[in-house]
Amino acid sequence: MKLGRLNHVGVATPSIEKSIAFYRDVMGAEVIREPFDLPAQGVKVCFVDTPNSQIELIEPLGESSPIAGFIAKNPEGGQHHICYEVPDIHAAKSWFEGKGARVLGEPRIGAHGTLIFFVHPRDMGGVLTEIMETPRPGVSH
Ligand SMILES: CC[C@@H](C(=O)O)C(=O)SCCNC(=O)CCNC(=O)[C@H](O)C(C)(C)COP(=O)(O)OP(=O)(O)OC[C@H]1O[C@@H](n2cnc3c(N)ncnc32)[C@H](O)[C@@H]1OP(=O)(O)O
Ligand SMILES: [Co+2]
């Protein structure tokens, strides 16, 4: 597998509204997209555009949110995951499994509308890693 483009850095927050104010007023972010709920992933999401990537703000949605434990341990929030693009999600899953890394669940639709999966941080040098199939112009998922 060839390492693809860095798509986003996931930042967990207890309050997307407060984080939006921080990225606007302190970080000087000019393009902050409208937050939306992603119940299938248990998070509320908001994208902050940077010139070469995105910050993905995620707030827990519901008690079984996968980031509830992270926020309990880090009440102020913090850097949560890094997401890389790949051309073929199923080939990437086989690659990581072949390397003995724990893939967390089956590929599912993520916030960008393409298939994603996560790889356990303990098998990725301490970094929770999201793998995402590169969006293709004109293809809806
Ligand atoms: C917006 C949608 C989507 C997108 O399209 O972009 C998203 O990004 S959704 C983002 C939220 N979803 C997920 O994170 C799904 C995958 N995550 C999980 O399944 C779990 O969060 C987890 C990684 C298995 C952790 O589970 P949890 O129960 O919270 O923690 P544990 O206490 O069991 O942790 C085990 C181990 O891992 C360390 N850890 C946990 N979270 C992180 C992290 N974000 N970064 C680095 N390390 C992390 C934790 O410290 C434990 O370490 P050890 O004690 O050394 O075992
Ligand atoms: Co993400």
Side-chain angles (χ1 to χ4, degrees), residues 8 56 81 130:
H8 64 265
E56 179 183 85
H81 66 271
E130 179 182 346

Side-chain angles (χ1 to χ4, degrees), residues 1-2 85-99 101 103 106-107 115-117 119 131-134 136:
M1 193 195 73
K2 197 173 153 191
E85 294 181 12
V86 295
D88 181 333
I89 196 82
H90 300 291
K93 180 171 181 278
S94 298
W95 169 270
F96 283 108
E97 288 172 339
K99 296 289 178 190
V103 170
E106 292 301 314
L115 288 167
I116 63 164
F117 63 80
V119 191
I131 301 296
M132 167 187 161
E133 194 159 87
T134 305
R136 287 179 219 150

Side-chain angles (χ1 to χ4, degrees), residues 59-79:
E59 180 187 306
L61 186 68
E63 287 174 10
S64 59
S65 171
I67 66 169
F70 183 92
I71 290 292
K73 285 184 199 162
N74 306 277
E76 301 294 315
Q79 196 248 294

Side-chain angles (χ1 to χ4, degrees), residues 8 38 41 43 45 56 58 66-67 69-70 73 79-81 104 108 110-112 116 118 120-122 126-128 130:
H8 64 265
L38 209 53
Q41 304 288 348
V43 289
V45 191
E56 179 183 85
I58 45 175
I67 66 169
F70 183 92
K73 285 184 199 162
Q79 196 248 294
H80 181 262
H81 66 271
L104 300 164
R108 51 199 182 274
H112 293 79
I116 63 164
F118 286 84
H120 200 286
R122 285 287 149 262
V127 179
L128 175 59
E130 179 182 346

